[in-house]
Amino acid sequence: MTPDTILPMIFGRIGLDSLPFVPAILNPSTSEFIAAGAAGVVFLGAFIVLGVVTWFGWWGPLWRDWLTSTDHKRIGIMYIVLALVMMARGVIEGALMRVQQGVGLDGGFLSDGHFSELFSTHGTIMIFFVAMPFISGVINYVMPLQIGARDVSFPVLNQISLALTAVGAALIMISLILGKFSTGGWPAYPPYTGLAFNPGPGPDYWIWSVGIAGLGSTLSGINFAVTIYKERAPGMTLFRMPLFTWTVLCTAIIMVFAMPPLTVATATLALDRYLDFHFYTNDLGGNMMNYVNLFWLFGHPEVYLLILPAYGIFSEVIATYSGKRLYGYMSLVVATMSISVLSFTVWLHHFFTMGQSANVNIAFGIASMFIAVPTGVKVYDWMATMYRGRIRFSVPMVYATGFLMLFVIGGLTGVMLANPTISFQVHNTLFLVAHFHNVIIPGVLFGLLAGYHYWFPKAFGFRLNTRWGYITAVLWIVGFCVTFFPLYVLGLMGMPRRSVSFTDPSFEPLTLIAMGGAMLVLMALSSLMIQLWISVRDRATAQVPLGDPWNGRTLEWSIPSPPPEYNFAVIPQVWSRDAFAADKEAGIAYQEPETYDAIAVPSNTSIGMVVCIGGVLLGLGMVWYMWWLAAVSFLGIVGAFIVRSFQTDTHRIIPAAQVARDHRVWLAQIAASPEVTRAQECSPANRGRAMNERPEPSL
Amino acid sequence: MSELRVTALNSCCALSKRLVGSVLMLTLLTGCTDIADSFLDPHGPIAAAQKLHFMRVTGLTMIAVAPVLIFVPLILWRFRYRNQRARYLPDWEYSAPLEIVMWGVPAAIIVALSTMLWHSTKALDPYRPLVSDQPPLNVQVVGLDWKWLFLYPEQGIATVGELAFPAGRPVALTLTSDTVMQSFLISALAGQIYVMPGMTTKLQLLADAPGRFEGENTQFNGTGFVHQKFPAIAMTDTDFDAWVNSVKSDGIVLDDSSYGVLAAPSTEAEAHQILATSSMPDNALYFSPTQPDLFSAITHRYHQGRPIPPNAQPGSAAFAPPRAEDTPKPAAETETPQ
Amino acid sequence: MTQFERKHPGLNLGSHHGAAHDQAEALVFGFWVFLMSDLIIFGLMFATYITMQGPMAEAGGPGPAQLYDLRSAWIQTLLLLTSSLTFGLASLAMRHKHGVAPVVVPLVVTLGLGLTFLGFELHDFQGMLAQGAGPGRSGFLSAFFGLVPLHGLHVTAGCIWLMVMLAQIAVFGLSDMVKLRLLRLGLFWHFLDIIWIGIFSIVYLAGLTG
């Protein structure tokens, strides 16, 4: 055996040139320097994180309290941290593309290949590793609290879902250091992503990161759905659930049914690439149209999966800050359910131009337009919720306003695109890019940021800085408008998406404006980080340990901030919608229960970390053809599960006396604290006990 | 009823014209290049109908959108926390008449839009032959990485980088790809259609008057993607005949060898360096004669029951054109032109 | 305790521990949802298989008539259906009988039948590969090898799970935890049976008659 035969057996197809530093030295150009710089940032970032954790001796707490925790609240926070880290990369990539197109008249500074990697990673990251984990995080944190549950139904499965998402994110980060990512866009259409056209590791990175993260999402969906069906507090009937929980239920159902098509699409593409199958190849009877159908059979429900929880967040935020019941609860529930069902009937509108008969296009076009009806109803319901309310224009309400005003424009262009006649013209142009950013940024992202601001004090016990909150929100809104409205016009002017450069000088003023907008978005991202930093620094003046800083309406506000690991000292009894608001109205909130019970909470487990590390190694082994590594890590994961299945001691008991002691301390604090009015909402006086402000009786 | 719809539509169109007008102004003010590249500046009946439909949909949908844009700020201001004079009804959560309006108006708009969608999709189906007193000009389009090959079977000629046709006469395109999926669009004349290997799609064009329009691929297909553009040129009948003759006289033979150069992944400019003769224009390649069955040979390439290894797959980086050593100049490099 | 019996007609969990029943309820329900999700995967593979039939997808390669051995498929069907029956006997024994043996014996038979099924299936695949009819030959064969071995992999996973359960019975006896896991394994096993009926009808029967 010579090194020539042994090295490929060990390292697969990794070569020295897989490291981006090597081409940057051998073949220096701006593009290569940016690639090498990005790899350097990943290295440096990882190094700094490891260094800080070691220096402060945080490994123990990190392992005990976070990485091995099965607490839905901690898992939720870890999801959101993952999402924010990935969002930083995704936004920077987006801005880089805007800059490239800003100066892209006949050139620019990025190579074609680098640009196509950027739009592929940007899309993949933003959908799978920002929007999805952010949403899973918020759902994880809030939904069990809203339904009065101690945890999700399957806490260990929950940890595994997070681990699988983290595997995908890790693989996509590693692709910055080792090799290159796919250039096939986030849908990765074959045959372009097939072996004949892209033999390198790029599409394999896409397949494994998206495929593995997709499995995690399927499991999350099962977990959320079962939790909502089985873990609701007594008295909380389906039609007493908070609207956010309703949207989570619909999202969970969509996850269960829409993630499998993604699994099938990625798995069959992998079979084509690894085992010489011919599902989608040009030759031997492959049919790429099957992939396009499978992908969008996932892809379209996916966007509703993302937007529905955001609708739920806006429902909570608008009702709370309007000081009013949600208008049209039943309408909103019916609309949410209709959207979830309709979302499975419209996937073909992503490819009206594939040459199918006009009748097929008509059917899918009309189905797509009909989604506008329940969506419109929702927007009107939120307006009616604000009507005759007493609205505090808080930071989440700024996001909600931005959402209402901008989202309807996204809806308008959505109705346009549902028309095959119009789609034939603007499909694959920047008009389409502007449209989906117009629904995803004001819809999903603003919703998540509103939720982040709204529930942050619940999770950490202090409010986020308001001033920086306004600055951030305004920057996001203005940045969005300046970046993406020009893209609508550019699309109508005929500029195709994914263009690294252009030759028509009339595009330039608009690409430059969009570039300026991207700078505002970068500032918004920085401002979000600054806000977090300042809020943590000044947390002493924003403490809300009593748990109800916004005069909330639902059960999560009826417990301390941050909540104890068992959430509720005693499982609450629910009598109506807006359970906590009703209790406060009736004057029966904060009552001491008659008895306390011991509480069983799931004990820590390292299975998630086994899945996480094993999954990353499995993915790397597959991407780089290191078969031994893939086999060992796969068998390791299976073995770990079998070993774990023999473990019987999976719970830890918290004695009733301890529960009672903690709960009484908190109740005593409540009793000793004055109620604050909404005018004092953002002042240090607001420690989380709200005064119930009612209209004057003279009315 | 239909009259009512028409008046409603007209008033919507007025509104939409104002809204889209600003977009158009921008397009027209800044877009004064010699080549038309948007359906908002249409040069044929199909693009014109698409633009009209675009305006109508915008106008009609604005009925549902405008109230949101108007009333959200008003409600926010009127019912702000500090305005203690505004009526505050914290328990108000339902109103039957309001529900009917909220569901009814969007539903009515969507029903109206659906009817329009139905008619326009039928009428503008790219497979539907255009009604004309002249027989259509048949052109076969082959998507290659990163150029379009146009075959004129009736004239026995072929071009790359230039699609010429007589104005006022329908053009019936039959399209395929000899590499990955692409999407063919001449925005000023008609919508786009995908081209896929081993399959054919169809598209109909008609230009009202002579002119130059930008044609392009809109589906990303690799590093040369942005260079895959060409002028579509509508000519008078006599100019077109003269053009056909010049292609015939200036063209080189389109055989396996020259097709092999075209099929390798390269931009039109790179292929031009290898194949062009001095009598061809700077940005186009002319071929004559062509093999009469070339188009069907290309689509049948993928249905022969034999595997196509990367070196036989046009568009693949590993593609080695057949008999490459016979070509007069060295095979195309895959470097970018700039 | 009638309400608990209604919740879990297939199990006689200890009646003293109410929380265990609620937990069991969520576990079993969650497993049903998982099976639904898995069913979508099979559904899509079936759909892919159906669209990849005919001369275009066969690409000049062998089609169903040259490849499928109905006799072997029928034997596999009988093996799998019988294994479902024996698993059902184990489930009944778990509910009504005392002692471990009445549960373990049919489970061992089930495992044997499952492994025999896999043996026949692998033999069929080997025969096809020997004729040059592997997944690399045509889109049609890719769809076949995407669908039928996917079921086979599920059966393999089921067999491994069954072996683990036999070990757990040996370690823990028929504890509530073990019973609940056997209940879910039973669901999985019967689910694979239903999938196989689909494969037998759509792939083999329709392939040879159509």
Side-chain angles (χ1 to χ4, degrees):
Chain A
M1 291 247 255
T2 65
D4 283 351
T5 58
I6 295 173
L7 281 179
M9 276 172 69
I10 300 174
F11 293 110
R13 52 174 165 169
I14 296 182
L16 257 186
D17 54 351
S18 305
L19 294 166
F21 308 107
V22 178
I25 295 163
L26 295 179
N27 181 20
S29 71
T30 322
S31 230
E32 296 291 359
F33 286 137
I34 290 174
V41 168
V42 173
F43 260 129
L44 201 67
F47 186 75
I48 289 174
V49 169
L50 295 180
V52 166
V53 171
T54 311
W55 178 260
F56 289 101
W58 285 344
W59 281 111
L62 185 67
W63 181 260
R64 273 194 310 278
D65 295 342
W66 295 94
L67 298 180
T68 61
S69 170
T70 50
D71 183 342
H72 71 96
K73 299 184 288 300
R74 289 176 187 272
I75 289 176
I77 291 168
M78 285 190 279
Y79 265 119
I80 294 171
V81 169
L82 176 73
L84 289 175
V85 170
M86 297 307 283
M87 185 163 84
R89 178 175 165 194
V91 168
I92 290 170
E93 286 179 337
L96 208 51
M97 286 190 284
R98 287 288 123 242
V99 174
Q100 162 65 26
Q101 283 192 344
V103 301
L105 183 61
D106 297 319
F109 59 97
L110 288 179
S111 70
D112 303 274
H114 196 176
F115 186 80
S116 43
E117 258 188 274
L118 280 177
F119 67 67
S120 305
T121 45
H122 172 79
T124 308
I125 286 177
M126 285 305 202
I127 294 291
F128 293 104
F129 303 110
V130 177
M132 291 289 274
F134 209 146
I135 275 174
S136 295
V138 174
I139 291 176
N140 247 309
Y141 198 94
V142 175
M143 182 270 286
L145 297 181
Q146 279 201 332
I147 61 172
R150 291 251 151 82
D151 207 322
V152 293
S153 284
F154 311 117
V156 178
L157 188 70
N158 202 17
Q159 194 196 51
I160 291 167
S161 296
L162 170 64
L164 291 170
T165 310
V167 169
L171 285 175
I172 216 169
M173 290 311 269
I174 291 172
S175 78
L176 273 181
I177 305 175
L178 202 58
K180 286 190 181 341
F181 196 74
S182 173
T183 57
W186 84 281
Y189 280 3
Y192 180 76
T193 49
L195 216 46
F197 296 96
N198 268 300
D204 300 320
Y205 266 123
W206 182 88
I207 287 171
W208 294 103
S209 62
V210 168
I212 293 175
L215 280 182
S217 301
T218 312
L219 298 177
S220 288
I222 296 172
N223 212 342
F224 297 150
V226 175
T227 305
I228 294 176
Y229 279 122
K230 296 293 177 192
E231 311 291 333
R232 277 169 288 135
M236 181 168 284
T237 57
L238 284 175
F239 286 109
R240 286 180 186 165
M241 294 196 311
L243 209 90
F244 175 70
T245 301
W246 259 111
T247 58
V248 172
L249 178 59
C250 292
T251 279
I253 294 171
I254 296 178
M255 278 180 174
V256 171
F257 288 105
M259 300 314 288
L262 177 69
T263 307
V264 170
T266 49
T268 44
L269 187 59
L271 286 172
D272 269 13
R273 289 182 60 87
Y274 284 85
L275 294 173
D276 189 31
F277 277 52
H278 291 276
F279 284 108
Y280 312 121
T281 55
N282 283 354
D283 57 345
L284 291 175
N287 187 346
M288 52 150 299
M289 295 193 292
N290 277 349
Y291 180 91
V292 177
N293 276 284
L294 280 173
F295 185 83
W296 290 112
L297 195 51
F298 144 78
H300 200 81
E302 162 79 13
V303 300
Y304 289 97
L305 183 169
L306 298 177
I307 198 89
L308 287 178
Y311 289 165
I313 294 170
F314 285 125
S315 301
E316 305 289 326
V317 160
I318 290 174
T320 303
Y321 290 107
S322 302
K324 198 158 160 280
R325 278 192 205 166
L326 194 60
Y327 173 87
Y329 178 92
M330 284 306 283
S331 267
L332 283 165
V333 170
V334 170
T336 307
M337 292 302 269
S338 328
I339 291 173
S340 336
V341 173
L342 282 172
S343 75
F344 285 93
T345 65
V346 301
W347 77 87
L348 189 131
H349 71 213
H350 293 268
F351 46 95
F352 279 142
T353 54
M354 205 153 71
Q356 59 274 22
S357 89
N359 290 333
V360 175
N361 280 352
I362 288 170
F364 279 88
I366 291 178
S368 307
M369 285 208 305
F370 262 92
I371 293 190
V373 176
T375 312
V377 169
K378 277 171 168 275
V379 171
Y380 299 145
D381 279 337
W382 291 317
M383 287 167 68
T385 302
M386 298 195 292
Y387 182 72
R388 290 185 174 159
R390 192 151 278 180
I391 304 166
R392 289 105 67 192
F393 204 56
S394 59
V395 176
M397 279 305 280
V398 178
Y399 284 117
T401 309
F403 160 72
L404 288 172
M405 308 277 288
L406 295 173
F407 189 74
V408 289
I409 296 172
L412 165 69
T413 55
V415 169
M416 292 176 188
L417 281 162
N419 282 268
T421 304
I422 299 171
S423 177
F424 270 103
Q425 276 290 355
V426 295
H427 179 60
N428 271 343
T429 68
L430 286 179
F431 187 88
L432 179 72
V433 174
H435 162 72
F436 66 70
H437 283 91
N438 193 350
V439 282
I440 290 181
I441 294 178
V444 181
L445 183 69
F446 287 5
L448 289 167
L449 290 174
Y452 164 74
H453 214 277
Y454 181 61
W455 281 303
F456 186 92
K458 176 49 60 189
F460 295 99
F462 59 94
R463 282 172 281 115
L464 284 168
N465 183 287
T466 315
R467 195 164 148 258
W468 279 96
Y470 285 124
I471 294 174
T472 312
V474 169
L475 279 172
W476 274 116
I477 292 171
V478 177
F480 163 78
C481 294
V482 180
T483 311
F484 290 99
F485 287 156
L487 298 197
Y488 274 128
V489 184
L490 281 168
L492 291 175
M493 290 166 71
M495 182 166 172
R497 67 191 294 199
R498 296 174 179 161
S499 297
V500 62
S501 60
F502 51 91
T503 49
D504 185 343
S506 66
F507 293 165
E508 195 173 34
L510 290 165
T511 59
L512 282 172
I513 295 173
M515 178 173 108
M519 294 305 109
L520 290 176
V521 171
L522 271 186
M523 284 163 68
L525 180 73
S526 324
S527 170
L528 189 73
M529 304 298 167
I530 294 171
Q531 183 204 24
L532 184 61
W533 168 255
I534 295 208
S535 306
V536 172
R537 193 192 65 191
D538 299 344
R539 64 186 177 280
T541 57
Q543 292 289 319
V544 287
L546 308 181
D548 183 21
W550 317 123
N551 196 12
R553 312 185 62 80
T554 41
L555 286 177
E556 75 269 30
W557 304 108
S558 69
I559 53 175
S561 292
E565 67 170 320
Y566 45 81
N567 297 347
F568 295 90
V570 179
I571 295 294
Q573 170 71 43
V574 175
W575 304 103
S576 68
R577 274 177 214 160
D578 289 352
F580 184 50
D583 279 359
K584 285 190 283 190
E585 189 79 66
I588 54 169
Y590 307 121
Q591 279 185 340
E592 162 113 43
E594 287 163 16
T595 55
Y596 293 91
D597 283 328
I599 297 170
V601 293
S603 36
N604 282 16
T605 169
S606 50
I607 189 80
M609 287 311 289
V610 173
V611 171
C612 187
I613 294 166
V616 171
L617 294 177
L618 171 64
L620 281 181
M622 293 307 293
V623 168
W624 291 101
Y625 296 176
M626 295 183 279
W627 309 124
W628 63 271
L629 182 64
V632 166
S633 21
F634 179 73
L635 293 176
I637 294 173
V638 173
F641 274 102
I642 292 177
V643 169
R644 191 188 140 76
S645 73
F646 282 84
Q647 206 176 320
T648 50
D649 178 26
T650 54
H651 283 79
R652 179 161 58 81
I653 305 292
I654 298 174
Q658 188 190 333
V659 176
R661 193 178 60 237
D662 292 348
H663 194 55
R664 284 183 188 129
V665 168
W666 177 67
L667 284 175
Q669 278 182 321
I670 294 270
S673 300
E675 295 178 336
V676 296
T677 67
R678 293 303 94 203
Q680 299 164 290
E681 196 160 45
C682 298
S683 73
N686 181 5
R687 290 180 45 80
R689 182 157 193 215
M691 179 186 289
N692 199 27
E693 289 166 71
R694 300 289 299 175
E696 293 75 25
S698 64
L699 283 172
Chain B
M1 173 67 204
S2 70
E3 202 176 318
L4 201 130
R5 209 186 96 204
V6 170
T7 32
L9 266 182
N10 283 344
S11 57
C12 296
C13 283
L15 180 63
S16 70
K17 263 179 193 140
R18 243 179 300 144
L19 276 160
V20 182
S22 54
V23 170
L24 258 180
M25 284 300 284
L26 202 51
T27 317
L28 294 177
L29 281 177
T30 58
C32 291
T33 44
D34 60 333
I35 183 158
D37 55 1
S38 168
F39 75 110
L40 295 183
D41 176 20
H43 287 80
I46 301 171
Q50 285 167 327
K51 179 185 168 188
L52 181 65
H53 189 72
F54 174 80
M55 300 287 198
R56 284 180 172 168
V57 171
T58 311
L60 209 50
T61 313
M62 282 311 288
I63 298 174
V65 169
V68 178
L69 299 178
I70 295 164
F71 286 112
V72 165
L74 291 181
I75 291 174
L76 278 170
W77 178 250
R78 171 74 187 156
F79 299 102
R80 66 194 187 277
Y81 183 75
R82 300 212 175 274
N83 183 11
Q84 301 277 333
R85 286 176 307 138
R87 213 162 156 211
Y88 178 35
L89 292 180
D91 299 326
W92 180 67
E93 58 178 354
Y94 182 76
S95 150
L98 199 54
E99 290 287 305
I100 293 169
V101 174
M102 281 178 175
W103 283 92
V105 172
I109 295 172
I110 295 298
V111 168
L113 285 172
S114 299
T115 325
M116 289 164 55
L117 181 149
W118 183 299
H119 289 297
S120 82
T121 307
K122 280 275 188 203
L124 301 176
D125 181 3
Y127 278 59
R128 185 181 196 151
L130 296 174
V131 181
S132 168
D133 48 1
Q134 294 195 55
L137 172 72
N138 287 303
V139 180
Q140 295 163 332
V141 181
V142 182
L144 297 165
D145 280 335
W146 297 287
K147 57 195 97 59
W148 295 101
L149 170 65
F150 303 105
L151 303 165
Y152 293 72
E154 289 141 15
Q155 286 74 19
I157 59 170
T159 63
V160 165
E162 191 172 286
L163 171 65
F165 50 91
R169 181 177 164 195
V171 184
L173 301 175
T174 311
L175 309 94
T176 191
S177 163
D178 203 6
T179 168
V180 300
M181 185 177 93
Q182 306 179 3
S183 189
F184 179 90
L185 172 67
I186 303 172
S187 191
L189 298 181
Q192 63 196 294
I193 195 85
Y194 285 171
V195 301
M196 292 171 285
M199 295 176 251
T200 56
T201 44
K202 287 182 192 297
L203 190 67
Q204 319 295 327
L205 301 176
L206 179 59
D208 292 329
R212 287 168 73 85
F213 322 106
E214 181 162 76
E216 61 194 342
N217 168 27
T218 64
Q219 176 73 38
F220 182 80
N221 60 339
T223 50
F225 164 64
V226 285
H227 304 292
Q228 196 171 350
K229 298 187 196 302
F230 64 92
I233 308 170
M235 305 171 166
T236 60
D237 285 352
T238 46
D239 284 354
F240 180 67
D241 291 341
W243 179 83
V244 170
N245 285 331
S246 73
V247 174
K248 278 188 174 157
S249 59
D250 299 341
I252 57 169
V253 60
L254 183 58
D255 54 10
D256 284 355
S257 148
S258 50
Y259 185 77
V261 173
L262 295 177
S266 62
T267 60
E268 194 268 322
E270 288 162 324
H272 196 271
Q273 282 190 347
I274 300 168
L275 291 176
T277 60
S278 55
S279 53
M280 290 183 197
D282 285 346
N283 297 313
L285 287 168
Y286 290 163
F287 299 95
S288 177
T290 62
Q291 299 157 348
D293 57 347
L294 180 59
F295 188 82
S296 62
I298 290 168
T299 53
H300 280 107
R301 180 198 302 282
Y302 301 104
H303 301 294
Q304 294 174 346
R306 283 199 305 270
I308 300 175
N311 64 10
Q313 169 64 61
S316 167
F319 178 62
R323 291 186 284 131
E325 67 279 4
D326 295 346
T327 48
K329 293 174 194 174
E333 295 293 322
T334 51
E335 278 169 23
T336 45
Q338 279 90 15
Chain C
M1 291 302 117
T2 48
Q3 80 194 65
F4 293 142
E5 280 164 20
R6 233 183 301 119
K7 275 182 178 172
H8 295 293
L11 285 182
N12 55 344
L13 297 180
S15 57
H16 58 282
H17 194 189
H21 284 275
D22 287 342
Q23 177 66 6
E25 174 124 346
L27 276 173
V28 175
F29 180 63
F31 199 75
W32 274 106
V33 180
F34 163 75
L35 289 181
M36 277 202 303
S37 170
D38 208 12
L39 189 62
I40 304 274
I41 291 189
F42 275 110
L44 293 169
M45 292 314 292
F46 273 115
T48 305
Y49 178 81
I50 290 167
T51 60
M52 295 192 102
Q53 282 176 317
M56 197 88 106
E58 280 170 21
Q66 292 94 54
L67 295 171
Y68 296 161
D69 175 0
L70 196 58
R71 207 174 120 250
S72 171
W74 177 240
I75 293 172
Q76 289 168 47
T77 309
L78 287 180
L79 285 168
L80 215 53
L81 288 182
T82 316
S83 79
S84 246
L85 176 73
T86 54
F87 206 116
L89 291 175
S91 301
L92 285 175
M94 193 160 75
R95 172 142 177 77
H96 294 294
K97 298 239 172 89
H98 292 283
V100 167
V103 178
V104 169
V105 172
L107 283 184
V108 172
V109 176
T110 308
L111 179 62
L113 289 167
L115 292 173
T116 320
F117 165 85
L118 286 174
F120 271 87
E121 190 166 57
L122 283 176
H123 182 260
D124 281 3
F125 293 161
Q126 205 180 16
M128 289 171 75
L129 290 174
Q131 295 178 48
R137 179 60 191 88
S138 70
F140 161 72
L141 279 161
S142 295
F144 174 88
F145 278 98
L147 171 62
V148 183
L150 179 68
H151 174 268
L153 279 178
H154 275 71
V155 175
T156 312
C159 288
I160 294 171
W161 188 357
L162 194 44
M163 288 185 236
V164 172
M165 288 321 297
L166 288 170
Q168 296 205 338
I169 294 174
V171 177
F172 302 114
L174 283 172
S175 69
D176 283 358
M177 180 184 86
V178 170
K179 281 183 185 170
L180 266 172
R181 284 178 181 164
L182 280 174
L183 179 72
R184 281 175 286 162
L185 175 55
L187 287 177
F188 186 67
W189 200 266
H190 301 313
F191 165 76
L192 293 183
D193 235 25
I194 294 168
I195 299 293
W196 179 260
I197 303 283
I199 290 178
F200 184 69
S201 328
I202 292 172
V203 175
Y204 290 102
L205 281 182
L208 289 175
T209 56

